[in-house]
Amino acid sequence: MKENNDGNIPFYVALALFVILVVLGLTYMTQNSNDYNDRGTFGDMFGFANALFTGLSVVGLIATILLQRKDLNIQRDELKKQTDSIHVQNFENTFFQMLSLYGNFISTIEKDDLKGRNYINHLSTGISRPILSFLTYKQNTIDLDRVRNIYFELHQYNRSEMDHHLRIIYSIIELINTTERVNKIKYFRIFKANVSLDELILLYYGCLYKDDLILKNLIENFPIFEDLLPIHTLHPNIKNYYKKSVYNE
């Protein structure tokens, strides 16, 4: 804990001034005295006066050191603020560049005459529609293997696009999660504001299909799927694949 000795400095200065004034006053009185004995006695006091002024110089040195220490503490605090500011600025530069890269990928992705979010919607529908049909047919029961098989059929033809989508999301969330001294929830919310529901559905089923614990453990640090409806998360057996933290529960 930083000590605060600034309050002692005025006392030391006042004490030094008082002693100096006393010595000057005695000098004046003695010099105006006609008694040679008084002047001789006063002359003997100069040895004490020298020691006194030496002590006062030490007091002044201590006061100087305290002032310098105060300045150093202020400089250290300012340097820490500047370092933290540069740290956040560097993070934000990387974060917003990656966010721009993600937005550019989504807007330019194209296959079979479908482009951008229309293609993403096509992929999302390609997963959810057969799953919902299966649920209707099987009276609302489904297992993880069946979900993975449905994803696999779509993934076979769209592997490059779907895997690239997952890699970019992983990179952004990893950057947020591993960077210290930043408001992680704040930047996660900024990222999530740029992600559509269809993109979340692809991420949701992508982790289920790949059974990628690295990606799964990473996204479980954030309420990434809080906007998904029960119709998206399916049966509790499927929903429970993830921790409750992803649903903000």
Side-chain angles (χ1 to χ4, degrees), residues 127 147-155 162 202 205-206 209:
I127 299 172
V147 173
R148 287 172 174 167
N149 288 336
I150 293 173
Y151 188 95
F152 172 77
E153 294 173 3
L154 186 68
H155 183 260
M162 296 173 76
L202 287 180
Y205 290 113
Y209 166 67

Side-chain angles (χ1 to χ4, degrees), residues 126-128 130-132 134-135 141-154 201 204-210 232-235 237-239 242:
I127 299 172
S128 57
I131 289 177
L132 293 177
F134 184 84
L135 284 173
T141 60
I142 193 170
D143 57 28
L144 188 57
D145 288 337
R146 180 59 183 171
V147 173
R148 287 172 174 167
N149 288 336
I150 293 173
Y151 188 95
F152 172 77
E153 294 173 3
L154 186 68
I201 291 174
Y204 184 84
Y205 290 113
C207 287
L208 287 174
Y209 166 67
K210 290 181 172 295
H232 301 132
T233 55
L234 304 177
H235 191 273
N237 291 340
I238 306 301
K239 180 179 179 180
Y242 295 103

Side-chain angles (χ1 to χ4, degrees), residues 35-51:
D35 190 338
Y36 287 99
N37 291 329
D38 290 342
R39 293 185 180 185
T41 302
F42 181 76
D44 294 337
M45 294 175 59
F46 276 106
F48 169 75
N50 288 335

Side-chain angles (χ1 to χ4, degrees), residues 14-237:
L15 178 61
L17 291 174
F18 173 76
V19 172
I20 291 173
L21 290 174
V22 169
V23 173
L24 290 176
L26 289 175
T27 301
Y28 176 79
M29 292 172 58
T30 305
Q31 286 179 344
N32 287 279
S33 174
N34 294 322
D35 190 338
Y36 287 99
N37 291 329
D38 290 342
R39 293 185 180 185
T41 302
F42 181 76
D44 294 337
M45 294 175 59
F46 276 106
F48 169 75
N50 288 335
L52 179 63
F53 282 111
T54 300
L56 291 176
S57 66
V58 173
V59 172
L61 178 62
I62 293 174
T64 302
I65 293 173
L66 291 175
L67 288 172
Q68 289 178 344
R69 188 173 69 172
K70 177 183 178 182
D71 290 339
L72 289 174
N73 288 334
I74 293 174
Q75 292 175 8
R76 183 179 61 188
D77 292 341
E78 290 297 324
L79 180 60
K80 183 178 184 302
K81 290 178 181 179
Q82 292 177 7
T83 302
D84 290 344
S85 177
I86 293 173
H87 172 73
V88 172
Q89 184 178 2
N90 290 338
F91 163 78
E92 287 187 342
N93 288 338
T94 304
F95 171 75
F96 286 111
Q97 286 177 5
M98 295 179 68
L99 200 60
S100 177
L101 176 66
Y102 178 76
N104 184 65
F105 166 75
I106 294 297
S107 62
T108 59
I109 189 172
E110 184 175 6
K111 195 165 189 175
D112 296 339
D113 298 326
L114 292 172
K115 184 177 180 180
R117 297 199 182 277
N118 288 331
Y119 176 63
I120 296 295
N121 177 260
H122 166 73
L123 294 177
S124 173
T125 303
I127 299 172
S128 57
R129 181 175 295 169
I131 289 177
L132 293 177
S133 299
F134 184 84
L135 284 173
T136 302
Y137 177 72
K138 293 293 184 179
Q139 299 180 347
N140 296 328
T141 60
I142 193 170
D143 57 28
L144 188 57
D145 288 337
R146 180 59 183 171
V147 173
R148 287 172 174 167
N149 288 336
I150 293 173
Y151 188 95
F152 172 77
E153 294 173 3
L154 186 68
H155 183 260
Q156 287 294 95
Y157 185 66
N158 302 276
R159 178 189 301 270
S160 176
E161 294 78 11
M162 296 173 76
D163 287 351
H164 194 183
H165 176 250
L166 290 180
R167 283 196 298 270
I168 297 179
I169 289 182
Y170 172 82
S171 298
I172 295 175
I173 299 182
E174 182 187 39
L175 174 68
I176 297 172
N177 190 60
T178 57
T179 303
E180 301 297 331
R181 306 198 309 277
V182 298
N183 188 334
K184 297 181 181 182
I185 291 297
K186 169 187 172 181
Y187 293 103
F188 166 75
R189 292 295 182 187
I190 294 174
F191 161 70
K192 193 163 176 288
N194 290 270
V195 179
S196 69
L197 182 61
D198 288 326
E199 294 157 36
L200 288 177
I201 291 174
L202 287 180
L203 176 62
Y204 184 84
Y205 290 113
C207 287
L208 287 174
Y209 166 67
K210 290 181 172 295
D211 199 19
D212 188 341
L213 294 181
I214 296 178
L215 178 57
K216 175 180 179 290
N217 292 337
L218 179 63
I219 64 176
E220 284 178 339
N221 290 303
F222 303 97
I224 186 73
F225 298 134
E226 63 182 340
D227 297 326
L228 294 185
L229 301 175
I231 195 173
H232 301 132
T233 55
L234 304 177
H235 191 273
N237 291 340

